[in-house]
Amino acid sequence: MQLTITKSDILKPKPDDSNLGFGSIFTDHMFNMDYNPENGWHNPRIEPYAPIEMDPATAVLHYGQAVFEGLKAYKTDSGAVRFFRPKDNFRRLNRSSRMLCIPEFDEEFVFDVMKQLIALEKDWIPGAPETSLYIRPTIIATDHFLGVRASYTYRFFVILSPVGAYYSEGFNPVKIWVTKNHVRAVRGGIGEAKTAGNYAASLYAGEEANKNGYTQVLWLDGVHQKYIEEVGSMNIFFVIEDELVTPMLNGSILPGITRDSVITMAKKWDVRVSERQISIDELIDAHESGKLQEIFGTGTAAVISPVGEMKYGDRVITIGGGKVGPMANRLYQVITDIQYGRTEDAMGWIEEV
Ligand code: COI
């Protein structure tokens, strides 16, 4: 496939690196590619960032047949540009696609194109501490048809957004709200896919948590509403008697790349790690007996998000005195040091542009 590149005549002014927030500023160019059954994936092109015009009957608008990814390009002090485990994101995008009946794409080709897009937009990669260029590859169903079936045609696009911290708290403890009224996903559904509907399913409980002064929802499983699954849009970890515990991947939990990095790193440090079912009652008991030391979320956007307070029914518990715990702190430092090239990448997680 031959990539075409059309450069924008007008370049937007670059934002102030010190006040980026998350996900509201977009660069000058984007990647687009189309799919139909006759030609497969075709017409790959880098072109000026522009709206996607859609017929009101476009399938994705009605039935949410969409998958996406989130990864980042980082600038090091020497000005080099690098990615953190990018091929895992493209592998997961194809995995999500399979679950949503979307045709797979050539991961090597798209990775190569993304590198070209980042090279073209390199002046958009912010340099202020803990900032990066967030990369959002997305695939949407584009048939104009209201019957419920998998679309025959698709659009693959990649947009780029210079970002700072995902949460206004930055790397500071957030407050989480355990919901028993709502579930995010169930086993056998699409909970382990990175797909639009899972995020739509999280909104109502998220608003409820926010109204009550909490930042994120702690999700329990969809069958018993007993076992812990995720927090907000992140995977979740606990430190209980010096052991790192995280819910095992059971079909309704997203297989996070930061989750995997945390597990790998902790094992390398000889920390005991357990991927298993953990119930909310076990967590409360661990807190009452003084065994629960830390809770934190993991994800590409926030990296590590420590939890300082949790509300479950009428109980409010404070974790680690409401401060960032040593495990969360050590993991955050080492992962961000690898990402920004402040330490050697002994794990082979970095790809240079
Ligand atoms: C992440 O932590 O990377 C996420 O999934 C959040 C994203 C949907 C903004």
Side-chain angles (χ1 to χ4, degrees):
M1 258 190 305
Q2 188 59 42
L3 176 73
T4 56
I5 301 180
T6 311
K7 290 193 186 162
S8 182
D9 295 334
I10 308 155
L11 300 182
K12 303 175 205 169
K14 308 279 185 302
D16 170 9
D17 279 9
S18 62
N19 192 20
L20 291 170
F22 185 91
S24 54
I25 302 162
F26 301 96
T27 70
D28 294 308
H29 299 89
M30 67 187 292
F31 170 68
N32 283 303
M33 175 165 79
D34 300 305
Y35 180 91
N36 63 32
E38 302 78 53
N39 303 308
W41 286 110
H42 65 281
N43 193 13
R45 54 205 188 274
I46 289 174
E47 52 195 357
Y49 185 98
I52 299 175
E53 197 174 297
M54 278 192 205
D55 189 286
T58 303
V60 67
L61 300 177
H62 299 272
Y63 307 124
Q65 199 191 0
V67 292
F68 69 93
E69 271 302 324
L71 67 158
K72 289 172 171 172
Y74 306 86
K75 196 186 269 176
T76 67
D77 286 345
S78 66
V81 176
R82 43 193 1 230
F83 305 109
F84 182 74
R85 306 185 64 175
K87 291 185 176 160
D88 292 330
N89 290 91
F90 290 111
R91 196 171 309 129
R92 187 172 64 182
L93 187 58
N94 259 338
R95 189 167 179 269
S96 299
S97 289
R98 285 195 291 276
M99 282 181 240
L100 272 289
C101 302
I102 295 173
E104 290 179 44
F105 59 90
D106 179 340
E107 292 167 25
E108 282 297 324
F109 177 78
V110 173
F111 179 53
D112 187 60
V113 163
M114 187 190 68
K115 285 199 277 194
Q116 295 190 55
L117 178 62
I118 299 293
L120 181 64
E121 301 289 64
K122 63 178 184 320
D123 293 344
W124 280 92
I125 307 174
E130 316 308 313
T131 61
S132 56
L133 189 65
Y134 186 77
I135 304 165
R136 172 54 63 87
T138 306
I139 306 175
I140 55 170
T142 52
D143 278 8
H144 305 164
F145 180 60
L146 292 184
V148 179
R149 59 150 172 79
S151 183
Y152 299 140
T153 62
Y154 297 87
R155 165 74 64 92
F156 189 141
F157 62 87
V158 181
I159 55 174
L160 309 174
S161 174
V163 298
Y166 185 70
Y167 297 116
S168 53
E169 288 92 340
F171 182 60
N172 287 306
V174 297
K175 292 161 68 178
I176 65 172
W177 164 275
V178 187
T179 181
K180 274 215 159 190
N181 298 333
H182 306 277
V183 297
R184 175 191 161 272
V186 287
R187 211 162 351 111
I190 49 173
E192 63 180 350
K194 206 160 175 71
T195 181
N198 288 331
Y199 295 81
S202 75
L203 300 178
Y204 193 96
E207 294 239 319
E208 189 180 47
N210 291 160
K211 275 187 209 135
N212 286 281
Y214 287 79
T215 315
Q216 289 292 306
V217 174
L218 183 75
W219 299 104
L220 302 180
D221 76 280
V223 178
H224 309 96
Q225 282 165 328
K226 178 174 172 185
Y227 299 104
I228 296 166
E229 298 231 313
E230 294 191 10
V231 62
S233 57
M234 294 180 290
N235 295 116
I236 187 155
F237 284 83
F238 308 99
V239 183
I240 302 172
E241 289 191 297
D242 295 328
E243 181 180 35
L244 192 58
V245 179
T246 192
M248 66 195 180
L249 299 179
N250 62 355
S252 54
I253 294 175
L254 185 85
I257 293 162
T258 312
R259 174 187 182 277
D260 184 71
S261 307
V262 161
I263 292 171
T264 307
M265 193 52 83
K267 284 185 178 163
K268 190 170 168 250
W269 293 338
D270 290 328
V271 172
R272 279 179 298 129
V273 180
S274 167
E275 294 178 66
R276 63 172 172 86
Q277 270 192 331
I278 174 163
S279 71
I280 186 70
D281 297 326
E282 181 187 340
L283 190 71
I284 299 287
D285 286 350
H287 173 71
E288 306 231 305
S289 55
K291 294 177 185 161
L292 174 64
Q293 295 152 286
E294 292 183 43
I295 304 182
F296 55 88
T298 65
T300 299
V303 189
I304 304 283
S305 180
V307 174
E309 185 182 307
M310 182 177 93
K311 182 167 166 69
Y312 176 48
D314 295 331
R315 314 164 78 129
V316 175
I317 67 170
T318 303
I319 300 106
K323 302 206 171 62
V324 178
M327 181 74 80
N329 192 47
R330 189 176 176 199
L331 286 161
Y332 179 78
Q333 295 309 333
V334 77
I335 292 175
T336 53
D337 281 353
I338 292 174
Q339 290 170 336
Y340 289 94
R342 296 186 291 247
T343 190
E344 190 209 341
D345 167 33
M347 316 301 291
W349 284 338
I350 293 299
E351 299 261 358
E352 303 270 346
V353 173

